[in-house]
Structure formats: structure tokens, C-alpha cells
mmCIF file of all heavy atoms in Angstrom:
data_model
loop_
_atom_site.group_PDB
_atom_site.id
_atom_site.type_symbol
_atom_site.label_atom_id
_atom_site.label_comp_id
_atom_site.label_asym_id
_atom_site.label_seq_id
_atom_site.Cartn_x
_atom_site.Cartn_y
_atom_site.Cartn_z
ATOM 1 N N GLY A 338 -0.555 -11.970 15.300
ATOM 2 C CA GLY A 338 -1.466 -11.898 16.420
ATOM 3 C C GLY A 338 -0.871 -12.517 17.697
ATOM 4 O O GLY A 338 -0.970 -11.937 18.780
ATOM 5 N N ASP A 339 -0.240 -13.685 17.548
ATOM 6 C CA ASP A 339 0.365 -14.328 18.705
ATOM 7 C C ASP A 339 1.555 -13.550 19.230
ATOM 8 O O ASP A 339 1.769 -13.423 20.430
ATOM 9 C CB ASP A 339 0.795 -15.759 18.326
ATOM 10 C CG ASP A 339 -0.384 -16.651 18.074
ATOM 11 O OD1 ASP A 339 -1.506 -16.265 18.449
ATOM 12 O OD2 ASP A 339 -0.197 -17.741 17.466
ATOM 13 N N LEU A 340 2.373 -13.019 18.325
ATOM 14 C CA LEU A 340 3.547 -12.231 18.743
ATOM 15 C C LEU A 340 3.130 -10.965 19.502
ATOM 16 O O LEU A 340 3.775 -10.583 20.486
ATOM 17 C CB LEU A 340 4.404 -11.869 17.524
ATOM 18 C CG LEU A 340 5.336 -12.947 17.003
ATOM 19 C CD1 LEU A 340 6.017 -12.497 15.736
ATOM 20 C CD2 LEU A 340 6.391 -13.313 18.052
ATOM 21 N N ILE A 341 2.057 -10.311 19.046
ATOM 22 C CA ILE A 341 1.599 -9.107 19.735
ATOM 23 C C ILE A 341 1.092 -9.454 21.122
ATOM 24 O O ILE A 341 1.367 -8.735 22.101
ATOM 25 C CB ILE A 341 0.496 -8.425 18.888
ATOM 26 C CG1 ILE A 341 1.104 -7.796 17.649
ATOM 27 C CG2 ILE A 341 -0.229 -7.368 19.701
ATOM 28 C CD1 ILE A 341 0.097 -7.181 16.705
ATOM 29 N N GLN A 342 0.383 -10.575 21.243
ATOM 30 C CA GLN A 342 -0.087 -11.009 22.560
ATOM 31 C C GLN A 342 1.096 -11.296 23.491
ATOM 32 O O GLN A 342 1.088 -10.891 24.668
ATOM 33 C CB GLN A 342 -0.974 -12.229 22.416
ATOM 34 C CG GLN A 342 -1.614 -12.721 23.712
ATOM 35 C CD GLN A 342 -2.606 -11.738 24.280
ATOM 36 O OE1 GLN A 342 -3.198 -10.932 23.545
ATOM 37 N NE2 GLN A 342 -2.806 -11.800 25.588
ATOM 38 N N GLU A 343 2.112 -11.988 22.989
ATOM 39 C CA GLU A 343 3.304 -12.276 23.788
ATOM 40 C C GLU A 343 4.000 -10.982 24.209
ATOM 41 O O GLU A 343 4.453 -10.864 25.369
ATOM 42 C CB GLU A 343 4.275 -13.162 23.003
ATOM 43 C CG GLU A 343 3.772 -14.569 22.752
ATOM 44 C CD GLU A 343 4.735 -15.343 21.867
ATOM 45 O OE1 GLU A 343 5.883 -14.858 21.675
ATOM 46 O OE2 GLU A 343 4.381 -16.403 21.351
ATOM 47 N N THR A 344 4.108 -10.023 23.284
ATOM 48 C CA THR A 344 4.792 -8.764 23.605
ATOM 49 C C THR A 344 4.034 -7.979 24.654
ATOM 50 O O THR A 344 4.661 -7.417 25.602
ATOM 51 C CB THR A 344 4.950 -7.950 22.304
ATOM 52 O OG1 THR A 344 5.578 -8.728 21.287
ATOM 53 C CG2 THR A 344 5.803 -6.704 22.559
ATOM 54 N N LEU A 345 2.718 -7.889 24.524
ATOM 55 C CA LEU A 345 1.935 -7.157 25.528
ATOM 56 C C LEU A 345 2.032 -7.824 26.901
ATOM 57 O O LEU A 345 2.117 -7.113 27.924
ATOM 58 C CB LEU A 345 0.474 -7.082 25.075
ATOM 59 C CG LEU A 345 0.208 -6.242 23.808
ATOM 60 C CD1 LEU A 345 -1.273 -6.322 23.434
ATOM 61 C CD2 LEU A 345 0.635 -4.809 23.992
ATOM 62 N N GLU A 346 2.046 -9.137 26.941
ATOM 63 C CA GLU A 346 2.200 -9.829 28.230
ATOM 64 C C GLU A 346 3.580 -9.556 28.827
ATOM 65 O O GLU A 346 3.705 -9.405 30.052
ATOM 66 C CB GLU A 346 1.967 -11.319 28.034
ATOM 67 C CG GLU A 346 0.524 -11.691 27.739
ATOM 68 C CD GLU A 346 0.331 -13.165 27.477
ATOM 69 O OE1 GLU A 346 1.329 -13.916 27.562
ATOM 70 O OE2 GLU A 346 -0.817 -13.585 27.211
ATOM 71 N N ALA A 347 4.624 -9.505 27.974
ATOM 72 C CA ALA A 347 5.953 -9.186 28.490
ATOM 73 C C ALA A 347 6.001 -7.751 29.010
ATOM 74 O O ALA A 347 6.636 -7.481 30.050
ATOM 75 C CB ALA A 347 6.998 -9.368 27.376
ATOM 76 N N PHE A 348 5.338 -6.830 28.306
ATOM 77 C CA PHE A 348 5.264 -5.445 28.790
ATOM 78 C C PHE A 348 4.601 -5.388 30.167
ATOM 79 O O PHE A 348 5.033 -4.627 31.052
ATOM 80 C CB PHE A 348 4.480 -4.583 27.807
ATOM 81 C CG PHE A 348 5.268 -4.151 26.600
ATOM 82 C CD1 PHE A 348 4.662 -3.476 25.543
ATOM 83 C CD2 PHE A 348 6.609 -4.435 26.483
ATOM 84 C CE1 PHE A 348 5.372 -3.081 24.427
ATOM 85 C CE2 PHE A 348 7.354 -4.027 25.391
ATOM 86 C CZ PHE A 348 6.728 -3.364 24.353
ATOM 87 N N GLU A 349 3.527 -6.159 30.338
ATOM 88 C CA GLU A 349 2.825 -6.128 31.617
ATOM 89 C C GLU A 349 3.662 -6.724 32.746
ATOM 90 O O GLU A 349 3.683 -6.217 33.865
ATOM 91 C CB GLU A 349 1.493 -6.848 31.488
ATOM 92 C CG GLU A 349 0.657 -6.769 32.773
ATOM 93 C CD GLU A 349 -0.617 -7.563 32.687
ATOM 94 O OE1 GLU A 349 -0.848 -8.221 31.640
ATOM 95 O OE2 GLU A 349 -1.378 -7.564 33.675
ATOM 96 N N ARG A 350 4.357 -7.831 32.440
ATOM 97 C CA ARG A 350 5.132 -8.502 33.495
ATOM 98 C C ARG A 350 6.307 -7.650 33.988
ATOM 99 O O ARG A 350 6.606 -7.617 35.175
ATOM 100 C CB ARG A 350 5.682 -9.828 32.950
ATOM 101 C CG ARG A 350 4.630 -10.923 32.846
ATOM 102 C CD ARG A 350 5.282 -12.291 32.640
ATOM 103 N NE ARG A 350 4.273 -13.331 32.470
ATOM 104 C CZ ARG A 350 3.830 -13.761 31.301
ATOM 105 N NH1 ARG A 350 4.300 -13.250 30.169
ATOM 106 N NH2 ARG A 350 2.936 -14.726 31.245
ATOM 107 N N TYR A 351 6.964 -6.970 33.054
ATOM 108 C CA TYR A 351 8.173 -6.235 33.419
ATOM 109 C C TYR A 351 7.965 -4.722 33.480
ATOM 110 O O TYR A 351 8.916 -3.982 33.680
ATOM 111 C CB TYR A 351 9.294 -6.542 32.396
ATOM 112 C CG TYR A 351 9.709 -7.993 32.388
ATOM 113 C CD1 TYR A 351 9.144 -8.882 31.489
ATOM 114 C CD2 TYR A 351 10.648 -8.459 33.284
ATOM 115 C CE1 TYR A 351 9.523 -10.213 31.457
ATOM 116 C CE2 TYR A 351 11.042 -9.801 33.273
ATOM 117 C CZ TYR A 351 10.458 -10.657 32.388
ATOM 118 O OH TYR A 351 10.852 -11.997 32.373
ATOM 119 N N GLY A 352 6.715 -4.262 33.295
ATOM 120 C CA GLY A 352 6.475 -2.820 33.263
ATOM 121 C C GLY A 352 6.076 -2.222 34.585
ATOM 122 O O GLY A 352 5.774 -1.022 34.654
ATOM 123 N N GLY A 353 5.963 -3.027 35.629
ATOM 124 C CA GLY A 353 5.566 -2.475 36.932
ATOM 125 C C GLY A 353 4.061 -2.388 37.079
ATOM 126 O O GLY A 353 3.283 -2.911 36.265
ATOM 127 N N GLU A 354 3.645 -1.710 38.156
ATOM 128 C CA GLU A 354 2.248 -1.673 38.505
ATOM 129 C C GLU A 354 1.387 -0.806 37.568
ATOM 130 O O GLU A 354 0.180 -0.970 37.472
ATOM 131 C CB GLU A 354 2.081 -1.178 39.938
ATOM 132 C CG GLU A 354 2.692 0.186 40.174
ATOM 133 C CD GLU A 354 2.593 0.614 41.626
ATOM 134 O OE1 GLU A 354 2.211 -0.200 42.465
ATOM 135 O OE2 GLU A 354 2.931 1.779 41.901
ATOM 136 N N ASP A 355 2.021 0.141 36.872
ATOM 137 C CA ASP A 355 1.274 1.020 35.967
ATOM 138 C C ASP A 355 1.194 0.486 34.547
ATOM 139 O O ASP A 355 0.604 1.142 33.666
ATOM 140 C CB ASP A 355 1.888 2.405 35.942
ATOM 141 C CG ASP A 355 1.805 3.108 37.288
ATOM 142 O OD1 ASP A 355 0.844 2.821 38.035
ATOM 143 O OD2 ASP A 355 2.714 3.911 37.603
ATOM 144 N N ALA A 356 1.787 -0.654 34.309
ATOM 145 C CA ALA A 356 1.875 -1.120 32.911
ATOM 146 C C ALA A 356 0.490 -1.533 32.381
ATOM 147 O O ALA A 356 0.123 -1.125 31.268
ATOM 148 C CB ALA A 356 2.832 -2.327 32.831
ATOM 149 N N PHE A 357 -0.279 -2.280 33.168
ATOM 150 C CA PHE A 357 -1.524 -2.824 32.636
ATOM 151 C C PHE A 357 -2.516 -1.711 32.280
ATOM 152 O O PHE A 357 -3.153 -1.749 31.212
ATOM 153 C CB PHE A 357 -2.174 -3.773 33.638
ATOM 154 C CG PHE A 357 -3.569 -4.197 33.259
ATOM 155 C CD1 PHE A 357 -3.767 -4.999 32.140
ATOM 156 C CD2 PHE A 357 -4.679 -3.785 33.980
ATOM 157 C CE1 PHE A 357 -5.041 -5.396 31.772
ATOM 158 C CE2 PHE A 357 -5.945 -4.174 33.599
ATOM 159 C CZ PHE A 357 -6.132 -4.963 32.498
ATOM 160 N N ILE A 358 -2.649 -0.721 33.131
ATOM 161 C CA ILE A 358 -3.644 0.329 32.864
ATOM 162 C C ILE A 358 -3.263 1.149 31.635
ATOM 163 O O ILE A 358 -4.131 1.581 30.874
ATOM 164 C CB ILE A 358 -3.839 1.225 34.118
ATOM 165 C CG1 ILE A 358 -5.041 2.124 33.924
ATOM 166 C CG2 ILE A 358 -2.575 2.036 34.386
ATOM 167 C CD1 ILE A 358 -5.428 2.879 35.189
ATOM 168 N N ASN A 359 -1.952 1.277 31.413
ATOM 169 C CA ASN A 359 -1.501 2.015 30.225
ATOM 170 C C ASN A 359 -1.694 1.167 28.947
ATOM 171 O O ASN A 359 -2.020 1.705 27.870
ATOM 172 C CB ASN A 359 -0.047 2.432 30.369
ATOM 173 C CG ASN A 359 0.117 3.625 31.305
ATOM 174 O OD1 ASN A 359 -0.053 4.769 30.911
ATOM 175 N ND2 ASN A 359 0.424 3.367 32.549
ATOM 176 N N ILE A 360 -1.439 -0.136 29.062
ATOM 177 C CA ILE A 360 -1.678 -1.019 27.918
ATOM 178 C C ILE A 360 -3.170 -1.049 27.581
ATOM 179 O O ILE A 360 -3.571 -0.978 26.415
ATOM 180 C CB ILE A 360 -1.151 -2.442 28.210
ATOM 181 C CG1 ILE A 360 0.371 -2.432 28.377
ATOM 182 C CG2 ILE A 360 -1.538 -3.408 27.083
ATOM 183 C CD1 ILE A 360 0.949 -3.732 28.799
ATOM 184 N N LYS A 361 -3.998 -1.162 28.611
ATOM 185 C CA LYS A 361 -5.453 -1.221 28.418
ATOM 186 C C LYS A 361 -5.990 0.052 27.764
ATOM 187 O O LYS A 361 -6.959 0.022 27.005
ATOM 188 C CB LYS A 361 -6.127 -1.455 29.771
ATOM 189 C CG LYS A 361 -7.613 -1.762 29.697
ATOM 190 C CD LYS A 361 -7.872 -3.156 29.177
ATOM 191 C CE LYS A 361 -9.344 -3.503 29.279
ATOM 192 N NZ LYS A 361 -9.633 -4.828 28.693
ATOM 193 N N TYR A 362 -5.371 1.184 28.058
ATOM 194 C CA TYR A 362 -5.785 2.448 27.470
ATOM 195 C C TYR A 362 -5.561 2.479 25.978
ATOM 196 O O TYR A 362 -6.369 2.984 25.216
ATOM 197 C CB TYR A 362 -5.041 3.595 28.152
ATOM 198 C CG TYR A 362 -5.452 4.959 27.677
ATOM 199 C CD1 TYR A 362 -6.641 5.567 28.100
ATOM 200 C CD2 TYR A 362 -4.667 5.667 26.769
ATOM 201 C CE1 TYR A 362 -7.012 6.812 27.659
ATOM 202 C CE2 TYR A 362 -5.035 6.926 26.321
ATOM 203 C CZ TYR A 362 -6.189 7.489 26.758
ATOM 204 O OH TYR A 362 -6.558 8.723 26.318
ATOM 205 N N MET A 363 -4.425 1.879 25.527
ATOM 206 C CA MET A 363 -4.094 1.906 24.102
ATOM 207 C C MET A 363 -4.625 0.677 23.367
ATOM 208 O O MET A 363 -4.882 0.747 22.154
ATOM 209 C CB MET A 363 -2.554 1.988 23.924
ATOM 210 C CG MET A 363 -1.945 3.219 24.528
ATOM 211 S SD MET A 363 -2.662 4.748 23.947
ATOM 212 C CE MET A 363 -2.346 4.638 22.219
ATOM 213 N N VAL A 364 -4.747 -0.470 24.044
ATOM 214 C CA VAL A 364 -5.264 -1.685 23.412
ATOM 215 C C VAL A 364 -6.451 -2.163 24.273
ATOM 216 O O VAL A 364 -6.288 -2.974 25.192
ATOM 217 C CB VAL A 364 -4.181 -2.782 23.350
ATOM 218 C CG1 VAL A 364 -4.664 -3.969 22.548
ATOM 219 C CG2 VAL A 364 -2.891 -2.215 22.757
ATOM 220 N N PRO A 365 -7.642 -1.670 24.003
ATOM 221 C CA PRO A 365 -8.803 -1.955 24.901
ATOM 222 C C PRO A 365 -9.156 -3.442 24.996
ATOM 223 O O PRO A 365 -9.766 -3.853 25.994
ATOM 224 C CB PRO A 365 -9.944 -1.160 24.258
ATOM 225 C CG PRO A 365 -9.261 -0.112 23.433
ATOM 226 C CD PRO A 365 -8.000 -0.729 22.945
#
């Protein structure tokens, strides 16, 4: 659980402006 949270936060930080909305679509 903690590793997944860290990975999603890393995706958001380095994924640009469209990262969060795409993460939110797959992980509500």
C-alpha cells in the first residue's frame, strides 16, 4: 500500500500537467 502511494506520487510529480487527471481516472 505504501509503495503504491509513493509510486503514484512520483508519477504525478514527473508526469506533467496531464498526469493527475489520468491517474485519477484509473485510481479514483
Side-chain angles (χ1 to χ4, degrees):
D339 292 345
L340 280 174
I341 289 176
Q342 184 66 25
E343 293 175 12
T344 306
L345 294 177
E346 290 178 1
F348 281 173
E349 184 184 1
R350 285 193 182 96
Y351 297 95
E354 57 183 9
D355 295 330
F357 171 67
I358 191 171
N359 284 278
I360 295 174
K361 189 73 173 176
Y362 182 77
M363 299 305 300
V364 187

